[in-house]
Protein backbone atom coordinates (compact mmCIF):
# COMPACT_ATOMS: atom_id res chain seq x y z
CA UNK A 1 0.00 0.00 0.00
CA UNK A 2 2.79 2.49 0.82
CA UNK A 3 4.20 2.19 -2.72
CA UNK A 4 1.20 4.14 -4.06
CA UNK A 5 1.54 6.86 -1.43
CA UNK A 6 3.80 9.86 -1.94
CA UNK A 7 6.69 10.30 0.48
CA UNK A 8 4.81 13.04 2.29
CA UNK A 9 1.68 10.86 2.58
CA UNK A 10 3.76 8.00 3.98
CA UNK A 11 5.17 10.36 6.60
CA UNK A 12 1.74 11.78 7.53
CA UNK A 13 0.04 8.39 7.55
CA UNK A 14 2.61 6.16 9.24
CA UNK A 15 4.97 8.33 11.32
CA UNK A 16 2.54 9.03 14.21
CA UNK A 17 1.42 5.42 14.78
CA UNK A 18 3.83 3.18 12.88
CA UNK A 19 7.20 4.97 12.76
CA UNK A 20 9.11 1.78 11.92
CA UNK A 21 6.86 1.17 8.93
CA UNK A 22 7.32 4.79 7.81
CA UNK A 23 11.09 4.57 8.10
CA UNK A 24 11.24 1.23 6.29
CA UNK A 25 9.15 2.51 3.38
CA UNK A 26 11.29 5.63 2.94
CA UNK A 27 14.53 3.71 3.45
CA UNK A 28 13.61 1.19 0.76
CA UNK A 29 12.73 3.99 -1.66
CA UNK A 30 15.91 5.99 -1.20
CA UNK A 31 18.75 3.83 0.14
CA UNK A 32 20.29 3.24 -3.30
CA UNK A 33 20.11 6.92 -4.27
CA UNK A 34 21.66 8.06 -0.98
CA UNK A 35 24.38 5.41 -1.31
CA UNK A 36 25.20 6.58 -4.86
CA UNK A 37 25.36 10.20 -3.64
CA UNK A 38 27.73 9.18 -0.82
CA UNK A 39 29.82 7.04 -3.16
CA UNK A 40 30.16 9.89 -5.66
CA UNK A 41 31.50 12.12 -2.88
CA UNK A 42 33.75 9.61 -1.10
CA UNK A 43 34.88 7.26 -3.88
CA UNK A 44 34.98 4.59 -1.16
CA UNK A 45 32.23 1.95 -1.04
CA UNK A 46 32.72 1.09 2.64
CA UNK A 47 32.70 4.72 3.69
CA UNK A 48 29.67 5.35 1.47
CA UNK A 49 27.83 2.48 3.20
CA UNK A 50 28.68 3.87 6.63
CA UNK A 51 27.62 7.37 5.61
CA UNK A 52 24.36 6.04 4.13
CA UNK A 53 23.44 4.30 7.38
CA UNK A 54 24.40 7.37 9.42
CA UNK A 55 22.30 9.60 7.17
CA UNK A 56 19.21 7.44 7.53
CA UNK A 57 19.60 7.36 11.30
CA UNK A 58 19.88 11.15 11.27
CA UNK A 59 16.85 11.47 8.96
CA UNK A 60 14.79 9.15 11.14
CA UNK A 61 15.51 11.28 14.21
CA UNK A 62 14.65 14.48 12.31
CA UNK A 63 11.64 13.13 10.43
CA UNK A 64 9.07 14.63 12.79
CA UNK A 65 10.66 18.02 12.05
CA UNK A 66 10.25 17.65 8.27
CA UNK A 67 8.15 20.70 7.36
CA UNK A 68 7.46 19.88 3.69
CA UNK A 69 8.87 23.22 2.49
CA UNK A 70 10.45 21.10 -0.22
CA UNK A 71 9.87 17.53 -1.31
CA UNK A 72 11.10 14.77 0.96
CA UNK A 73 13.63 13.67 -1.68
CA UNK A 74 15.11 17.19 -1.85
CA UNK A 75 15.25 17.37 1.95
CA UNK A 76 16.94 13.95 2.11
CA UNK A 77 19.35 14.88 -0.69
CA UNK A 78 20.32 18.05 1.18
CA UNK A 79 20.95 16.15 4.41
CA UNK A 80 22.96 13.53 2.50
CA UNK A 81 25.12 16.07 0.74
CA UNK A 82 25.74 18.13 3.87
CA UNK A 83 26.53 15.07 5.99
CA UNK A 84 29.06 13.74 3.46
CA UNK A 85 30.63 17.16 2.98
CA UNK A 86 30.94 17.64 6.76
CA UNK A 87 32.49 14.20 7.25
CA UNK A 88 34.95 14.72 4.41
CA UNK A 89 35.88 18.15 5.76
CA UNK A 90 36.49 16.61 9.19
CA UNK A 91 38.68 13.87 7.74
CA UNK A 92 40.78 16.47 5.87
CA UNK A 93 41.63 18.13 9.19
CA UNK A 94 43.45 14.96 10.19
CA UNK A 95 45.30 14.07 6.99
CA UNK A 96 46.98 10.72 6.82
CA UNK A 97 49.58 9.66 4.29
CA UNK A 98 51.32 6.37 3.88
CA UNK A 99 55.04 5.96 3.48
CA UNK A 100 54.50 4.94 -0.15
CA UNK A 101 52.71 8.21 -0.91
CA UNK A 102 55.62 10.17 0.50
CA UNK A 103 58.27 8.40 -1.58
CA UNK A 104 56.93 9.19 -5.04
CA UNK A 105 57.39 12.96 -4.93
CA UNK A 106 60.51 12.55 -7.10
CA UNK A 107 58.46 11.09 -9.94
CA UNK A 108 57.46 13.44 -12.81
CA UNK A 109 54.01 11.86 -12.79
CA UNK A 110 53.64 13.12 -9.26
CA UNK A 111 54.24 16.71 -10.43
CA UNK A 112 51.31 16.37 -12.81
CA UNK A 113 49.27 14.75 -10.05
CA UNK A 114 50.22 17.57 -7.71
CA UNK A 115 49.05 20.16 -10.26
CA UNK A 116 45.78 18.28 -10.64
CA UNK A 117 45.44 18.13 -6.86
CA UNK A 118 46.08 21.88 -6.57
CA UNK A 119 43.46 22.56 -9.23
CA UNK A 120 41.00 20.35 -7.37
CA UNK A 121 41.75 22.16 -4.11
CA UNK A 122 41.13 25.55 -5.75
CA UNK A 123 37.84 24.23 -7.15
CA UNK A 124 36.85 22.83 -3.75
CA UNK A 125 37.62 26.14 -2.06
CA UNK A 126 35.58 27.97 -4.68
CA UNK A 127 32.69 25.50 -4.28
CA UNK A 128 32.74 26.00 -0.51
CA UNK A 129 32.19 29.73 -1.03
CA UNK A 130 28.98 29.07 -2.96
CA UNK A 131 25.66 28.82 -1.18
CA UNK A 132 24.32 25.35 -0.42
CA UNK A 133 21.73 25.72 -3.19
CA UNK A 134 24.35 26.82 -5.75
CA UNK A 135 26.52 23.80 -4.88
CA UNK A 136 23.53 21.51 -4.99
CA UNK A 137 22.42 22.74 -8.43
CA UNK A 138 25.92 22.33 -9.87
CA UNK A 139 26.30 18.85 -8.40
CA UNK A 140 22.87 17.74 -9.61
CA UNK A 141 23.68 18.91 -13.13
CA UNK A 142 27.34 17.96 -13.50
CA UNK A 143 27.94 15.10 -11.05
CA UNK A 144 24.57 13.40 -11.04
CA UNK A 145 23.79 14.21 -14.68
CA UNK A 146 20.24 15.43 -14.07
CA UNK A 147 18.59 17.38 -16.86
CA UNK A 148 17.52 21.01 -16.50
CA UNK A 149 13.93 19.78 -16.55
CA UNK A 150 14.53 17.29 -13.70
CA UNK A 151 16.26 19.94 -11.59
CA UNK A 152 13.45 22.41 -12.28
CA UNK A 153 10.89 19.85 -11.09
CA UNK A 154 12.94 19.02 -8.01
CA UNK A 155 13.17 22.67 -6.95
CA UNK A 156 9.76 23.66 -8.32
CA UNK A 157 11.35 26.29 -10.58
CA UNK A 158 11.02 27.20 -14.22
CA UNK A 159 13.68 25.73 -16.48
CA UNK A 160 14.88 29.23 -17.39
CA UNK A 161 15.45 29.96 -13.68
CA UNK A 162 17.53 26.79 -13.30
CA UNK A 163 19.59 27.68 -16.38
CA UNK A 164 20.23 31.20 -15.06
CA UNK A 165 21.20 29.94 -11.59
CA UNK A 166 23.58 27.40 -13.10
CA UNK A 167 25.11 30.08 -15.33
CA UNK A 168 25.60 32.45 -12.39
CA UNK A 169 27.08 29.68 -10.25
CA UNK A 170 29.55 28.72 -13.00
CA UNK A 171 30.55 32.37 -13.44
CA UNK A 172 31.02 32.73 -9.69
CA UNK A 173 33.27 29.63 -9.65
CA UNK A 174 35.32 31.07 -12.53
CA UNK A 175 35.76 34.39 -10.70
CA UNK A 176 36.75 32.68 -7.45
CA UNK A 177 39.25 30.42 -9.24
CA UNK A 178 40.70 33.39 -11.15
CA UNK A 179 41.23 35.27 -7.87
CA UNK A 180 43.19 32.35 -6.47
CA UNK A 181 45.52 32.03 -9.48
Amino acid sequence: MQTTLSDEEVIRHYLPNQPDHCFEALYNRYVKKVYRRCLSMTNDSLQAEDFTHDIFIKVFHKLDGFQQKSSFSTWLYSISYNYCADQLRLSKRLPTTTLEENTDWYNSDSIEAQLQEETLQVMKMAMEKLSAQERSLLRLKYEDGLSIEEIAQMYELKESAVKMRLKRSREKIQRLCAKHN
Side-chain angles (χ1 to χ4, degrees):
M1 175 160 128
Q2 76 263 17
T3 56
T4 59
L5 299 176
S6 73
D7 300 333
E8 292 75 15
E9 290 169 332
V10 168
I11 293 167
R12 275 193 308 272
H13 188 267
Y14 291 110
L15 185 61
N17 302 319
Q18 296 175 302
D20 292 344
H21 190 71
C22 176
F23 180 74
E24 183 181 350
L26 296 172
Y27 179 86
N28 289 336
R29 285 182 188 181
Y30 290 101
V31 67
K32 290 179 183 172
K33 290 178 183 176
V34 170
Y35 172 78
R36 283 194 302 269
R37 166 83 291 194
C38 294
L39 185 60
S40 76
M41 292 181 73
T42 64
N43 295 321
D44 180 330
S45 60
L46 293 176
Q47 194 172 39
E49 283 181 31
D50 289 344
F51 285 6
T52 300
H53 292 293
D54 293 346
I55 289 164
F56 274 100
I57 289 169
K58 187 173 190 167
V59 165
F60 185 67
H61 288 294
K62 290 183 166 195
L63 199 53
D64 58 345
F66 173 57
Q67 298 176 355
Q68 298 184 20
K69 291 180 181 176
S70 61
S71 68
F72 174 78
S73 61
T74 301
W75 183 70
L76 175 62
Y77 182 88
S78 176
I79 290 172
S80 301
Y81 172 78
N82 290 330
Y83 181 85
C84 290
D86 290 345
Q87 294 302 310
L88 293 171
R89 207 172 4 263
L90 276 173
S91 69
K92 294 243 189 259
R93 289 184 187 164
L94 302 170
T96 57
T97 57
T98 64
L99 189 56
E100 291 172 10
E101 289 174 0
N102 287 331
T103 58
D104 70 6
W105 62 274
Y106 295 107
N107 190 334
S108 65
D109 289 340
S110 73
I111 293 170
E112 185 177 324
Q114 185 177 0
L115 287 173
Q116 287 177 341
E117 181 63 26
E118 287 174 13
T119 303
L120 281 174
Q121 291 304 320
V122 169
M123 284 295 293
K124 283 181 184 177
M125 288 184 345
M127 287 289 286
E128 287 174 6
K129 292 184 180 180
L130 297 178
S131 71
Q133 188 177 35
E134 289 171 322
R135 284 192 305 266
S136 181
L137 285 173
L138 288 170
R139 280 186 160 63
L140 287 170
K141 176 69 177 147
Y142 298 107
E143 285 184 11
D144 296 343
L146 268 63
S147 70
I148 300 292
E149 181 183 355
E150 291 169 319
I151 296 170
Q153 288 173 355
M154 182 181 277
Y155 282 97
E156 298 176 357
L157 296 169
K158 292 184 177 182
E159 289 182 32
S160 59
V162 171
K163 288 177 185 176
M164 184 54 67
R165 289 180 185 186
L166 284 168
K167 179 181 183 289
R168 289 179 182 152
S169 297
R170 286 190 307 265
E171 289 172 349
K172 197 171 183 180
I173 289 278
Q174 289 171 343
R175 282 192 308 274
L176 291 167
C177 288
K179 277 185 185 178
H180 193 270
N181 290 332

